[in-house]
Coordinates of all heavy atoms in Angstrom, one line a residue:
M1 N 160.4 78.2 311.0 CA 160.6 77.2 309.9 C 159.3 76.9 309.3 O 158.2 76.7 309.9 CB 161.0 76.0 310.7 CG 161.2 74.7 309.8 SD 161.7 73.6 310.8 CE 162.1 72.2 310.4
N2 N 159.3 77.0 307.9 CA 158.1 76.8 307.1 C 158.0 75.3 306.7 O 159.1 74.8 306.1 CB 158.1 77.6 305.9 CG 157.8 79.1 306.3 OD1 157.3 79.4 307.2 ND2 158.3 80.0 305.5
E3 N 157.0 74.6 306.9 CA 156.7 73.3 306.5 C 155.5 73.3 305.6 O 154.5 73.9 305.8 CB 156.5 72.4 307.7 CG 157.7 72.1 308.5 CD 157.3 71.1 309.6 OE1 156.7 70.0 309.3 OE2 157.9 71.2 310.8
D4 N 155.7 72.5 304.5 CA 154.5 72.4 303.6 C 153.5 71.4 304.2 O 153.9 70.5 304.9 CB 155.0 71.9 302.2 CG 155.8 72.8 301.5 OD1 155.7 74.0 301.7 OD2 156.7 72.4 300.6
V5 N 152.3 71.8 303.9 CA 151.2 70.8 304.3 C 150.4 70.4 303.2 O 150.1 71.3 302.3 CB 150.2 71.7 305.3 CG1 149.0 70.8 305.8 CG2 151.0 72.0 306.6
T6 N 150.1 69.2 303.0 CA 149.4 68.8 301.7 C 148.1 68.1 302.4 O 148.1 67.3 303.4 CB 150.2 67.6 301.0 OG1 151.4 68.2 300.7 CG2 149.5 67.1 299.9
F7 N 147.0 68.5 301.8 CA 145.7 68.0 302.1 C 145.3 67.0 301.1 O 145.4 67.3 299.8 CB 144.6 69.1 302.1 CG 144.7 70.0 303.4 CD1 145.5 71.1 303.3 CD2 144.0 69.7 304.5 CE1 145.6 71.9 304.4 CE2 144.1 70.5 305.6 CZ 144.9 71.6 305.6
Y8 N 144.8 65.9 301.4 CA 144.3 64.8 300.5 C 142.9 64.8 300.7 O 142.4 64.3 301.9 CB 144.9 63.4 300.8 CG 146.4 63.4 300.4 CD1 147.4 63.8 301.2 CD2 146.8 63.0 299.2 CE1 148.6 63.8 301.0 CE2 148.2 63.0 298.7 CZ 149.0 63.4 299.7 OH 150.4 63.3 299.4
I9 N 142.0 65.2 299.9 CA 140.5 65.3 300.0 C 139.9 64.3 299.1 O 140.1 64.4 297.9 CB 140.1 66.7 299.8 CG1 140.7 67.7 300.8 CG2 138.5 66.8 299.9 CD1 140.4 69.1 300.5
T10 N 139.2 63.4 299.6 CA 138.4 62.5 298.8 C 136.9 62.4 299.0 O 136.5 62.9 300.1 CB 139.0 61.0 299.1 OG1 138.5 60.7 300.4 CG2 140.4 61.0 298.9
R11 N 136.2 61.9 298.2 CA 134.8 61.7 298.4 C 134.5 60.3 298.8 O 135.2 59.4 298.4 CB 134.1 62.0 297.0 CG 132.6 62.1 297.1 CD 131.9 62.6 295.8 NE 130.5 62.7 296.0 CZ 129.6 61.7 295.8 NH1 130.0 60.6 295.4 NH2 128.3 62.1 295.9
H12 N 133.4 60.0 299.4 CA 133.2 58.7 299.8 C 132.9 57.8 298.6 O 132.7 58.3 297.4 CB 131.9 58.6 300.6 CG 130.7 59.2 300.0 ND1 129.8 58.6 299.1 CD2 130.0 60.4 300.2 CE1 128.9 59.3 298.7 NE2 129.0 60.5 299.4
G13 N 133.0 56.5 298.6 CA 132.7 55.6 297.5 C 131.2 55.6 297.3 O 130.4 56.2 297.9
E14 N 130.9 55.1 296.0 CA 129.5 55.0 295.6 C 128.7 54.3 296.7 O 129.0 53.3 297.2 CB 129.4 54.2 294.3 CG 128.0 54.0 293.7 CD 127.9 53.1 292.6 OE1 128.1 51.9 292.8 OE2 127.7 53.5 291.5
T15 N 127.4 54.8 296.8 CA 126.4 54.3 297.8 C 125.2 53.8 297.1 O 125.0 54.0 295.9 CB 126.0 55.4 298.8 OG1 125.2 56.4 298.1 CG2 127.2 56.0 299.5
L16 N 124.4 53.1 297.9 CA 123.1 52.7 297.3 C 122.3 53.8 296.6 O 121.9 53.7 295.5 CB 122.2 52.0 298.4 CG 120.9 51.5 298.0 CD1 121.1 50.4 296.9 CD2 120.2 50.9 299.1
F17 N 122.2 55.0 297.3 CA 121.4 56.1 296.8 C 122.2 56.6 295.5 O 121.4 57.2 294.5 CB 121.1 57.2 297.7 CG 120.0 57.0 298.6 CD1 119.3 55.8 298.6 CD2 119.5 58.0 299.4 CE1 118.1 55.6 299.4 CE2 118.3 57.8 300.2 CZ 117.6 56.7 300.2
N18 N 123.5 56.7 295.5 CA 124.1 57.1 294.3 C 123.7 56.1 293.1 O 123.5 56.6 291.9 CB 125.7 57.1 294.4 CG 126.3 58.0 295.4 OD1 127.2 57.7 296.1 ND2 125.7 59.1 295.5
L19 N 123.7 54.9 293.4 CA 123.3 53.8 292.4 C 121.9 54.1 291.9 O 121.6 54.0 290.6 CB 123.5 52.4 292.9 CG 123.3 51.3 292.0 CD1 124.3 51.4 290.8 CD2 123.3 50.0 292.7
L20 N 121.0 54.4 292.8 CA 119.5 54.6 292.5 C 119.3 56.0 292.0 O 118.1 56.3 291.7 CB 118.7 54.3 293.7 CG 118.8 52.8 294.2 CD1 118.1 52.7 295.5 CD2 118.3 51.8 293.2
E21 N 120.3 56.9 291.9 CA 120.2 58.2 291.5 C 119.1 58.9 292.4 O 118.4 59.7 291.9 CB 119.8 58.3 290.0 CG 120.9 57.7 289.1 CD 120.6 57.9 287.6 OE1 119.6 58.5 287.3 OE2 121.4 57.5 286.8
K22 N 119.4 58.9 293.6 CA 118.6 59.6 294.7 C 119.5 60.6 295.4 O 120.6 60.4 295.6 CB 117.9 58.6 295.7 CG 116.9 57.7 295.0 CD 116.1 57.0 296.0 CE 115.0 56.2 295.4 NZ 113.7 56.2 296.2
S23 N 118.8 61.7 295.8 CA 119.5 62.8 296.6 C 119.9 62.2 298.0 O 119.3 61.4 298.5 CB 118.6 64.0 296.7 OG 117.5 63.7 297.5
Q24 N 121.1 62.5 298.4 CA 121.6 62.0 299.6 C 122.4 63.1 300.3 O 123.6 63.4 299.8 CB 122.4 60.7 299.3 CG 123.0 60.2 300.5 CD 123.7 58.9 300.1 OE1 123.4 57.8 300.7 NE2 124.8 58.9 299.3
G25 N 121.9 63.7 301.3 CA 122.7 64.6 302.1 C 123.0 64.0 303.4 O 124.0 63.3 303.5
W26 N 122.0 64.1 304.3 CA 122.2 63.5 305.7 C 121.6 62.0 305.6 O 121.9 61.3 306.6 CB 121.5 64.3 306.7 CG 122.3 65.6 307.0 CD1 123.4 66.1 306.4 CD2 122.1 66.4 308.1 NE1 123.9 67.2 307.0 CE2 123.1 67.5 308.0 CE3 121.2 66.5 309.1 CZ2 123.1 68.5 309.0 CZ3 121.2 67.5 310.1 CH2 122.1 68.5 310.0
C27 N 120.8 61.7 304.7 CA 120.5 60.3 304.5 C 121.8 59.5 304.4 O 122.7 59.9 303.7 CB 119.6 60.0 303.3 SG 118.0 60.5 303.4
D28 N 121.9 58.3 305.1 CA 123.1 57.6 305.0 C 122.9 56.2 304.5 O 122.3 55.4 305.2 CB 123.8 57.6 306.3 CG 125.2 57.3 306.3 OD1 125.9 57.4 305.2 OD2 125.8 56.9 307.3
T29 N 123.2 55.9 303.2 CA 123.0 54.6 302.8 C 124.4 53.9 302.7 O 125.4 54.6 302.5 CB 122.3 54.5 301.3 OG1 123.1 55.3 300.4 CG2 120.9 55.2 301.6
P30 N 124.5 52.6 302.6 CA 125.9 51.9 302.7 C 126.5 52.1 301.3 O 125.9 52.2 300.2 CB 125.4 50.5 302.9 CG 124.0 50.3 302.6 CD 123.5 51.8 302.7
L31 N 127.8 51.7 301.3 CA 128.6 51.8 300.1 C 128.1 50.5 299.4 O 127.8 49.4 300.0 CB 130.1 51.6 300.4 CG 130.8 52.8 301.1 CD1 132.2 52.4 301.4 CD2 130.7 54.1 300.4
T32 N 128.2 50.6 298.1 CA 127.9 49.5 297.1 C 129.3 48.8 297.0 O 130.2 49.2 297.4 CB 127.6 49.9 295.8 OG1 128.6 50.8 295.2 CG2 126.2 50.8 295.8
Q33 N 129.2 47.6 296.4 CA 130.4 46.8 296.2 C 131.4 47.7 295.4 O 132.7 47.7 295.5 CB 130.2 45.4 295.5 CG 131.4 44.5 295.5 CD 132.0 44.3 296.9 OE1 131.3 43.9 297.8 NE2 133.4 44.7 297.0
K34 N 130.8 48.4 294.3 CA 131.7 49.2 293.5 C 132.3 50.3 294.3 O 133.5 50.6 294.1 CB 130.9 49.8 292.3 CG 131.6 50.8 291.5 CD 130.7 51.4 290.4 CE 131.5 52.4 289.6 NZ 130.5 53.1 288.6
G35 N 131.6 50.9 295.3 CA 132.1 51.9 296.1 C 133.2 51.4 297.0 O 134.3 52.1 297.2
I36 N 133.1 50.2 297.5 CA 134.2 49.5 298.3 C 135.4 49.3 297.5 O 136.5 49.6 297.8 CB 133.6 48.2 298.9 CG1 132.6 48.6 300.0 CG2 134.8 47.5 299.6 CD1 131.8 47.3 300.5
N37 N 135.2 48.8 296.2 CA 136.3 48.5 295.3 C 137.0 49.8 295.0 O 138.3 49.8 295.0 CB 135.8 47.8 294.1 CG 135.2 46.4 294.3 OD1 135.4 45.9 295.4 ND2 134.5 45.9 293.3
V38 N 136.3 50.8 294.7 CA 137.1 52.2 294.3 C 137.8 52.6 295.6 O 139.0 53.1 295.5 CB 136.0 53.2 293.7 CG1 136.7 54.5 293.7 CG2 135.5 52.7 292.5
A39 N 137.2 52.5 296.8 CA 137.9 52.9 298.0 C 139.2 52.2 298.2 O 140.2 52.7 298.7 CB 137.0 52.9 299.1
E40 N 139.1 50.8 297.9 CA 140.3 50.0 298.1 C 141.3 50.3 297.0 O 142.5 50.3 297.4 CB 139.9 48.4 297.9 CG 139.0 47.9 299.0 CD 138.5 46.6 298.8 OE1 138.4 46.1 297.7 OE2 138.0 46.0 299.9
L41 N 140.9 50.7 295.8 CA 141.9 51.2 294.9 C 142.6 52.4 295.3 O 143.8 52.7 295.1 CB 141.3 51.3 293.4 CG 140.9 50.1 292.7 CD1 140.1 50.4 291.5 CD2 142.2 49.2 292.4
L42 N 141.8 53.4 295.8 CA 142.3 54.7 296.3 C 143.3 54.4 297.5 O 144.4 54.9 297.5 CB 141.2 55.6 296.8 CG 141.6 56.9 297.3 CD1 142.4 57.7 296.4 CD2 140.4 57.7 297.9
A43 N 142.9 53.4 298.3 CA 143.7 53.1 299.5 C 145.2 52.5 299.0 O 146.2 52.9 299.5 CB 143.1 52.0 300.4
K44 N 145.1 51.8 298.0 CA 146.4 51.3 297.5 C 147.2 52.4 296.9 O 148.5 52.4 297.1 CB 146.1 50.2 296.3 CG 145.6 49.0 296.9 CD 145.4 47.9 295.7 CE 144.7 46.6 296.2 NZ 144.5 45.8 295.1
G45 N 146.6 53.4 296.3 CA 147.3 54.5 295.7 C 147.9 55.5 296.8 O 148.9 56.1 296.6
L46 N 147.3 55.5 297.8 CA 147.7 56.3 299.0 C 148.5 55.6 300.1 O 148.8 56.2 301.1 CB 146.5 57.0 299.6 CG 145.7 57.9 298.8 CD1 144.4 58.5 299.4 CD2 146.6 59.1 298.4
R47 N 148.7 54.3 299.9 CA 149.3 53.6 301.0 C 150.7 54.0 301.4 O 151.1 53.8 302.6 CB 149.3 52.1 300.7 CG 150.4 51.6 299.7 CD 150.5 50.1 299.4 NE 150.5 49.5 300.8 CZ 149.9 48.3 301.0 NH1 149.2 47.7 300.1 NH2 150.1 47.7 302.2
H48 N 151.3 54.7 300.6 CA 152.8 55.1 301.0 C 152.8 56.6 301.5 O 153.9 57.0 301.7 CB 153.7 54.9 299.8 CG 153.7 53.6 299.3 ND1 154.2 52.5 300.0 CD2 153.5 53.0 298.0 CE1 154.2 51.4 299.2 NE2 153.7 51.7 298.1
I49 N 151.7 57.1 301.8 CA 151.6 58.5 302.2 C 151.6 58.5 303.7 O 150.7 57.8 304.3 CB 150.3 59.3 301.7 CG1 150.2 59.3 300.2 CG2 150.2 60.6 302.3 CD1 151.3 60.0 299.6
K50 N 152.4 59.2 304.4 CA 152.4 59.3 305.9 C 151.5 60.4 306.2 O 151.8 61.5 306.2 CB 153.8 59.5 306.4 CG 153.9 59.4 307.9 CD 155.2 59.6 308.5 CE 155.2 59.3 310.0 NZ 156.6 59.4 310.5
F51 N 150.2 60.0 306.7 CA 149.3 61.0 307.2 C 149.6 61.5 308.6 O 150.0 60.6 309.3 CB 147.9 60.4 307.1 CG 147.4 60.1 305.7 CD1 147.2 58.7 305.3 CD2 147.2 61.1 304.7 CE1 146.8 58.4 304.0 CE2 146.7 60.7 303.4 CZ 146.6 59.4 303.1
S52 N 149.4 62.7 308.9 CA 149.6 63.1 310.3 C 148.2 63.2 311.0 O 148.2 63.2 312.2 CB 150.3 64.5 310.3 OG 149.7 65.4 309.6
A53 N 147.1 63.2 310.1 CA 145.8 63.2 310.8 C 144.8 62.8 309.7 O 145.1 62.8 308.4 CB 145.4 64.7 311.1
A54 N 143.6 62.3 310.1 CA 142.6 61.9 309.1 C 141.2 62.3 309.7 O 141.0 62.1 310.9 CB 142.6 60.3 309.0
Y55 N 140.4 62.9 308.9 CA 139.2 63.4 309.3 C 138.1 62.9 308.3 O 138.4 62.7 307.1 CB 139.1 64.9 309.3 CG 140.1 65.5 310.2 CD1 141.4 65.8 309.8 CD2 139.8 66.0 311.5 CE1 142.3 66.4 310.6 CE2 140.7 66.5 312.4 CZ 142.0 66.8 312.0 OH 142.8 67.3 312.8
S56 N 136.9 62.6 308.8 CA 135.7 62.4 308.0 C 134.6 63.0 308.7 O 134.5 63.3 309.9 CB 135.6 60.9 307.8 OG 135.0 60.3 308.9
S57 N 133.4 63.1 307.9 CA 132.2 63.4 308.6 C 131.8 62.3 309.5 O 132.4 61.2 309.5 CB 131.1 63.8 307.5 OG 130.6 62.5 306.9
D58 N 130.6 62.4 310.0 CA 130.1 61.3 310.9 C 129.1 60.3 310.2 O 128.6 59.5 310.8 CB 129.5 61.8 312.2 CG 128.3 62.7 311.9 OD1 128.1 63.1 310.8 OD2 127.5 63.1 312.9
S59 N 129.1 60.5 308.9 CA 128.2 59.5 308.1 C 128.9 58.2 307.9 O 130.1 58.2 307.7 CB 127.9 60.2 306.7 OG 129.0 60.2 305.8
G60 N 128.1 57.2 307.9 CA 128.7 55.9 307.7 C 129.6 55.7 306.5 O 130.6 55.0 306.5
R61 N 129.0 56.2 305.3 CA 129.7 56.1 304.1 C 131.1 56.7 304.1 O 132.0 56.2 303.5 CB 128.8 56.6 302.9 CG 128.5 58.1 302.9 CD 127.4 58.4 302.1 NE 127.2 59.9 302.0 CZ 126.1 60.4 302.7 NH1 125.4 59.8 303.4 NH2 125.9 61.8 302.5
A62 N 131.2 58.0 304.8 CA 132.4 58.6 304.8 C 133.5 57.8 305.7 O 134.6 57.7 305.5 CB 132.3 60.0 305.3
I63 N 132.9 57.4 306.9 CA 133.7 56.7 307.9 C 134.3 55.4 307.2 O 135.5 55.1 307.3 CB 132.9 56.3 309.1 CG1 132.6 57.6 309.9 CG2 133.6 55.4 310.1 CD1 131.5 57.5 310.9
E64 N 133.4 54.6 306.6 CA 133.8 53.3 305.9 C 134.9 53.6 304.9 O 135.9 52.9 304.8 CB 132.6 52.6 305.3 CG 133.0 51.3 304.7 CD 131.8 50.5 304.2 OE1 130.6 51.0 304.3 OE2 132.1 49.4 303.8
T65 N 134.7 54.6 304.0 CA 135.7 55.0 303.1 C 137.1 55.3 303.6 O 138.1 54.8 303.3 CB 135.2 56.1 302.1 OG1 134.0 55.7 301.5 CG2 136.2 56.5 301.1
A66 N 137.0 56.1 304.7 CA 138.2 56.6 305.3 C 138.9 55.4 306.0 O 140.1 55.2 306.0 CB 137.9 57.6 306.4
K67 N 138.2 54.4 306.6 CA 138.7 53.3 307.3 C 139.3 52.4 306.3 O 140.4 51.7 306.6 CB 137.7 52.6 308.2 CG 137.4 53.3 309.4 CD 136.5 52.6 310.3 CE 136.3 53.3 311.7 NZ 135.3 52.4 312.5
I68 N 138.8 52.3 305.1 CA 139.3 51.4 304.1 C 140.8 51.9 303.7 O 141.7 51.3 303.6 CB 138.4 51.3 302.9 CG1 137.3 50.4 303.2 CG2 139.2 50.6 301.7 CD1 136.2 50.4 302.2
I69 N 140.8 53.3 303.5 CA 142.0 54.0 303.1 C 143.1 53.8 304.2 O 144.3 53.4 303.9 CB 141.7 55.4 302.8 CG1 140.9 55.5 301.6 CG2 143.1 56.2 302.7 CD1 140.3 57.0 301.3
L70 N 142.7 54.0 305.4 CA 143.7 54.0 306.5 C 144.1 52.5 306.8 O 145.2 52.3 307.4 CB 143.2 54.6 307.8 CG 142.9 56.1 307.6 CD1 142.2 56.7 308.9 CD2 144.2 56.8 307.4
S71 N 143.3 51.5 306.5 CA 143.6 50.1 307.0 C 144.8 49.6 306.2 O 145.3 48.6 306.7 CB 142.4 49.2 306.6 OG 142.2 49.1 305.2
V72 N 145.2 50.1 305.0 CA 146.3 49.5 304.4 C 147.4 50.4 304.3 O 148.5 50.2 303.6 CB 145.9 49.1 302.9 CG1 144.9 48.1 302.9 CG2 145.6 50.4 302.1
N73 N 147.5 51.5 305.0 CA 148.5 52.5 305.2 C 149.8 51.9 305.7 O 149.7 51.2 306.7 CB 148.2 53.7 305.9 CG 149.1 54.9 305.6 OD1 150.0 55.1 306.4 ND2 148.8 55.7 304.6
D74 N 151.0 52.2 305.1 CA 152.2 51.6 305.5 C 152.8 52.1 306.9 O 153.8 51.5 307.3 CB 153.3 51.8 304.4 CG 153.0 51.0 303.2 OD1 152.3 50.0 303.2 OD2 153.6 51.3 302.1
F75 N 152.2 53.1 307.3 CA 152.7 53.8 308.5 C 151.9 53.6 309.8 O 150.9 52.9 309.7 CB 152.9 55.4 308.1 CG 153.8 55.6 307.1 CD1 153.3 55.8 305.8 CD2 155.2 55.7 307.4 CE1 154.2 56.1 304.8 CE2 156.0 56.0 306.4 CZ 155.5 56.2 305.0
Q76 N 152.4 54.0 310.8 CA 151.8 53.8 312.2 C 150.3 54.2 312.0 O 150.0 55.3 311.5 CB 152.4 54.7 313.3 CG 151.9 54.6 314.6 CD 152.2 53.4 315.3 OE1 153.1 52.7 315.0 NE2 151.3 53.0 316.2
P77 N 149.4 53.4 312.5 CA 147.9 53.8 312.4 C 147.6 55.0 313.1 O 148.2 55.3 314.2 CB 147.3 52.6 313.1 CG 148.2 51.5 313.2 CD 149.6 52.1 313.1
I78 N 146.7 55.8 312.6 CA 146.3 57.0 313.1 C 144.9 56.9 313.4 O 144.2 56.2 312.7 CB 146.6 58.3 312.3 CG1 146.0 58.2 310.9 CG2 148.1 58.5 312.2 CD1 146.1 59.5 310.1
K79 N 144.3 57.6 314.4 CA 142.9 57.7 314.8 C 142.2 58.5 313.7 O 142.5 59.6 313.5 CB 142.7 58.1 316.1 CG 141.2 58.1 316.6 CD 141.1 58.6 318.0 CE 139.6 58.5 318.3 NZ 139.2 59.4 319.4
L80 N 141.0 57.9 313.2 CA 140.1 58.7 312.3 C 139.3 59.6 313.3 O 138.7 59.1 314.1 CB 139.3 57.7 311.6 CG 138.2 58.4 310.6 CD1 138.9 59.2 309.6 CD2 137.3 57.4 310.0
Q81 N 139.4 60.9 313.0 CA 138.6 61.8 313.7 C 137.4 62.2 312.9 O 137.4 62.5 311.7 CB 139.4 63.1 314.0 CG 140.7 62.7 314.8 CD 141.6 63.9 315.0 OE1 141.1 64.9 315.5 NE2 142.8 63.9 314.6
Q82 N 136.1 62.1 313.6 CA 134.9 62.2 312.9 C 134.3 63.5 313.4 O 134.3 63.9 314.6 CB 133.9 61.1 313.2 CG 134.5 59.8 312.8 CD 133.7 58.6 313.4 OE1 132.5 58.7 313.8 NE2 134.4 57.5 313.6
D83 N 133.8 64.3 312.5 CA 133.2 65.6 312.8 C 131.9 65.8 312.0 O 132.0 65.9 310.8 CB 134.3 66.8 312.5 CG 133.8 68.1 313.0 OD1 132.6 68.5 313.1 OD2 134.8 68.7 313.5
K84 N 131.0 66.1 312.7 CA 129.6 66.3 312.0 C 129.6 67.5 311.1 O 128.7 67.7 310.2 CB 128.4 66.3 312.9 CG 128.4 67.5 313.9 CD 127.2 67.4 314.8 CE 127.1 68.5 315.7 NZ 126.0 68.4 316.6
R85 N 130.5 68.5 311.3 CA 130.6 69.7 310.6 C 131.1 69.4 309.1 O 131.0 70.3 308.3 CB 131.4 70.8 311.3 CG 130.8 71.2 312.6 CD 131.8 72.1 313.4 NE 133.0 71.5 313.7 CZ 134.1 71.9 314.3 NH1 134.1 73.2 314.6 NH2 135.2 71.1 314.5
L86 N 131.6 68.2 308.9 CA 132.1 67.8 307.6 C 131.0 67.1 306.8 O 131.3 66.6 305.6 CB 133.3 67.0 307.7 CG 134.5 67.6 308.4 CD1 135.6 66.7 308.6 CD2 135.0 68.8 307.5
R87 N 129.8 67.0 307.3 CA 128.7 66.3 306.6 C 128.3 67.1 305.3 O 128.5 68.3 305.1 CB 127.3 66.4 307.5 CG 127.3 65.4 308.6 CD 126.0 65.6 309.3 NE 125.9 64.8 310.5 CZ 125.0 65.0 311.4 NH1 123.9 65.8 311.1 NH2 125.0 64.4 312.5
E88 N 127.7 66.4 304.4 CA 127.2 67.0 303.2 C 126.0 67.9 303.7 O 125.5 67.7 304.7 CB 126.7 66.0 302.2 CG 127.9 65.2 301.6 CD 127.5 64.2 300.6 OE1 126.7 64.5 299.7 OE2 128.0 63.0 300.6
W89 N 125.5 68.8 302.8 CA 124.3 69.5 303.1 C 123.1 68.7 303.2 O 123.0 67.8 302.5 CB 124.2 70.6 302.0 CG 125.1 71.7 302.1 CD1 126.2 71.9 303.0 CD2 125.1 72.8 301.2 NE1 126.9 73.0 302.7 CE2 126.3 73.6 301.5 CE3 124.4 73.3 300.1 CZ2 126.6 74.8 301.0 CZ3 124.7 74.5 299.6 CH2 125.9 75.1 299.9
S90 N 122.3 69.0 304.1 CA 120.9 68.3 304.3 C 120.1 68.8 303.2 O 119.9 70.0 303.0 CB 120.4 68.5 305.7 OG 119.1 68.0 305.7
F91 N 119.3 68.0 302.5 CA 118.3 68.4 301.6 C 116.9 68.4 302.4 O 115.9 68.7 301.6 CB 118.2 67.3 300.5 CG 119.4 67.4 299.6 CD1 120.4 66.4 299.6 CD2 119.6 68.5 298.6 CE1 121.5 66.5 298.7 CE2 120.7 68.5 297.8 CZ 121.7 67.5 297.8
G92 N 116.9 68.3 303.5 CA 115.7 68.4 304.4 C 114.5 67.4 303.7 O 114.8 66.2 303.6
S93 N 113.4 67.9 303.4 CA 112.3 67.1 303.0 C 112.6 66.6 301.5 O 111.8 65.7 301.1 CB 111.0 67.9 303.0 OG 111.0 69.0 302.0
L94 N 113.6 67.1 300.9 CA 114.0 66.6 299.6 C 114.9 65.4 299.6 O 115.4 64.9 298.5 CB 114.6 67.7 298.7 CG 113.6 69.0 298.6 CD1 114.4 70.0 297.8 CD2 112.4 68.6 297.8
E95 N 115.4 64.9 300.8 CA 116.2 63.8 300.9 C 115.5 62.5 300.3 O 114.4 62.4 300.4 CB 116.5 63.5 302.3 CG 117.3 64.5 303.0 CD 118.9 64.2 302.8 OE1 119.3 63.1 302.5 OE2 119.6 65.2 303.3
A96 N 116.4 61.8 299.6 CA 116.0 60.5 299.0 C 115.0 60.6 297.8 O 114.5 59.6 297.4 CB 115.4 59.6 300.1
I97 N 114.7 61.8 297.3 CA 114.0 61.8 296.0 C 115.0 61.7 294.9 O 116.2 61.7 295.0 CB 113.3 63.2 295.8 CG1 114.1 64.4 295.7 CG2 112.3 63.4 297.0 CD1 113.4 65.6 295.3
T98 N 114.4 61.4 293.7 CA 115.3 61.2 292.5 C 116.0 62.4 292.2 O 115.6 63.5 292.4 CB 114.5 60.6 291.3 OG1 113.6 61.7 290.9 CG2 113.8 59.4 291.6
N99 N 117.3 62.3 291.7 CA 118.1 63.4 291.3 C 117.3 64.3 290.2 O 117.4 65.5 290.1 CB 119.3 63.0 290.8 CG 120.2 62.5 291.8 OD1 120.0 62.8 293.0 ND2 121.3 61.6 291.5
K100 N 116.5 63.5 289.3 CA 115.7 64.2 288.3 C 114.7 65.1 288.9 O 114.5 66.2 288.5 CB 115.1 63.2 287.4 CG 114.2 63.8 286.3 CD 113.6 62.6 285.5 CE 112.7 63.2 284.4 NZ 112.0 62.2 283.6
D101 N 114.0 64.6 290.0 CA 112.9 65.4 290.6 C 113.6 66.6 291.4 O 113.0 67.7 291.5 CB 112.1 64.6 291.5 CG 111.1 63.7 290.8 OD1 110.9 63.9 289.6 OD2 110.7 62.7 291.4
L102 N 114.8 66.4 291.9 CA 115.5 67.5 292.6 C 115.9 68.6 291.7 O 115.8 69.8 292.1 CB 116.7 66.9 293.3 CG 117.6 67.7 294.2 CD1 116.7 68.3 295.4 CD2 118.8 67.1 294.7
A103 N 116.3 68.2 290.4 CA 116.7 69.2 289.5 C 115.5 70.0 289.2 O 115.5 71.2 288.9 CB 117.4 68.6 288.3

């Protein structure tokens, strides 16, 4: 029996470093109010989707975004699974420099 599988892939909401236009790989800055608001809008749009699993990286910004989305879902709550292999790439010594300087 073939069953279709649909993946919903999202990016975390806007963070402080996004706002300051700084590189952010493994650096983890909090979501801004705008980032929270956008995640809440996304959550409303996805609230009627019955997820069978949910995954995020282990970064705070990704976890917070995923938890916002799952918090309003109309179906049985599922456990958010965190995996460091889903992290963004590390910029090493270039973390937190301006995007202009990174370019």
